[in-house]
Amino acid sequence: NTIPSVPKDFKLLANLNILRMNNNSFTEFPIEICELRKVRVLNLANNNIDEIPDEINQMDNLNHLDLSNNSFKDFPAQICTIPRLEVLNFDQEDGVSVPSIPDEITSTTIRELYIQNNAIKKIPKAISDMTNLTVFVAHHNSIKRIPEGICDMAQLEVLQVNDNQLVTLPENFDHLRNLKDLRLHNNPMTVPPMDICVSGVMQPIGCFLRKALAREEQLLLRMIELIVGTINKHELRYLLRKFKFPDEKIVELEDKYKG
């Protein structure tokens, strides 16, 4: 269809549970929909919507929302205020890609999050707060790293981050023991290399990460032992920061090599 708007009395459809208005010509989210408190499934994919009204938080029974292929310049943070949202589809393969997702997404009840085909550069650090999340699909973005916190998400079953800019995986990545669908292909991976990652099998990935970590630790200790007698504590701290060591590691090394 080519429906551009809904009539004012549309809100009188008080018992409506499922509303599919995809593949139309909406340029605005019809605010009348927000008064349909019993709607559980809302599909507005393949329109030209670029904003979401604040009133969407009134839709307290909405649990499945599809906003794929629309014209959002930024991810609409109002989505994060929907009380019982469980499934969000925000695939913009034929829409306008967004550059980021807000940190507020981590306070939602979402179980399945589909944000593929955007221009997202990073995953929120607090993603582990999404304790209901079992499906995370974020392929074809510009994600450069996976936060360490994701390793605490034991409930995660699907993780698709192929076709991004990932170079390495978190140290405890193999803690994700319930993953049934892991996709890492088409990333510039070095740790582990792509020939190990491409299978999506966790055991060899975890084994490589453990060996790589041990190797890095040995090299680090050898380097410190070589230079510790030639520079003072302040110079060592400056050098470690130049190499982008985390503060807790710097403190650990300073305690080990006092002086």
Side-chain angles (χ1 to χ4, degrees):
N1 295 309
T2 55
I3 300 171
S5 62
V6 299
K8 294 295 182 184
D9 56 0
F10 192 77
K11 61 187 178 183
L12 298 179
L13 299 172
N15 292 317
L16 198 64
N17 293 132
I18 298 175
L19 180 56
R20 303 187 192 279
M21 305 189 78
N22 48 303
N23 297 295
N24 276 292
S25 301
F26 292 104
T27 57
E28 295 181 354
F29 186 104
I31 197 166
E32 293 82 5
I33 292 177
C34 298
E35 297 190 44
L36 302 178
R37 305 287 289 271
K38 292 187 179 181
V39 168
R40 293 181 292 102
V41 176
L42 176 58
N43 189 339
L44 283 165
N46 298 298
N47 280 285
N48 291 301
I49 299 169
D50 60 4
E51 289 184 354
I52 299 293
D54 292 338
E55 289 80 0
I56 199 169
N57 64 3
Q58 298 172 14
M59 303 186 73
D60 43 15
N61 283 302
L62 182 61
N63 55 47
H64 191 133
L65 176 62
D66 193 338
L67 292 171
S68 299
N69 300 324
N70 273 285
S71 300
F72 300 102
K73 293 180 177 63
D74 295 295
F75 186 95
Q78 292 84 352
I79 291 173
C80 304
T81 67
I82 302 171
R84 293 183 177 87
L85 188 62
E86 295 183 4
V87 179
L88 174 63
N89 195 337
F90 200 81
D91 176 359
Q92 301 300 329
E93 183 174 11
D94 296 316
V96 177
S97 59
V98 300
S100 63
I101 51 175
D103 290 339
E104 290 87 346
I105 197 82
T106 62
S107 62
T108 65
T109 56
I110 292 174
R111 287 188 301 104
E112 299 181 16
L113 180 59
Y114 301 89
I115 53 171
Q116 65 267 37
N117 295 300
N118 279 284
I120 296 165
K121 294 180 176 63
K122 65 177 183 177
I123 300 170
K125 286 184 179 179
I127 191 172
S128 58
D129 291 344
M130 300 181 75
T131 54
N132 294 327
L133 193 67
T134 59
V135 175
F136 184 50
V137 176
H139 58 77
H140 290 90
N141 275 286
S142 300
I143 298 167
K144 295 183 177 179
R145 65 181 297 272
I146 296 175
E148 186 68 40
I150 207 169
C151 303
D152 298 326
M153 301 178 73
Q155 79 282 2
L156 202 60
E157 297 178 1
V158 175
L159 178 60
Q160 296 181 9
V161 285
N162 52 285
D163 295 273
N164 275 283
Q165 296 178 18
L166 297 173
V167 176
T168 187
L169 295 176
E171 174 185 336
N172 296 311
F173 193 73
D174 60 343
H175 287 188
L176 297 173
R177 295 185 178 90
N178 290 313
L179 276 182
K180 298 178 177 66
D181 182 356
L182 172 62
R183 303 187 191 185
L184 294 166
H185 56 274
N186 293 335
N187 278 291
M189 297 291 299
T190 56
V191 182
M194 184 49 65
D195 60 340
I196 290 176
C197 293
V198 72
S199 68
V201 179
M202 193 62 77
Q203 194 274 336
I205 291 174
C207 184
F208 188 96
L209 288 170
R210 294 277 177 267
K211 288 181 178 177
L213 183 65
R215 212 164 38 240
E216 286 178 6
E217 188 73 16
Q218 289 175 351
L219 287 171
L220 171 63
L221 292 177
R222 285 177 61 189
M223 181 187 78
I224 297 296
E225 287 168 358
L226 285 171
I227 65 173
V228 73
T230 62
I231 61 176
N232 60 40
K233 180 178 179 179
H234 299 295
E235 290 171 331
L236 177 61
R237 174 170 287 200
Y238 174 81
L239 180 63
L240 293 175
R241 283 185 170 157
K242 275 290 185 182
F243 281 109
K244 302 187 184 302
F245 280 84
D247 288 341
E248 59 269 22
K249 188 65 179 179
I250 293 175
V251 171
E252 178 189 330
L253 289 168
E254 288 177 342
D255 287 341
K256 185 169 183 177
Y257 299 98
K258 295 184 182 295

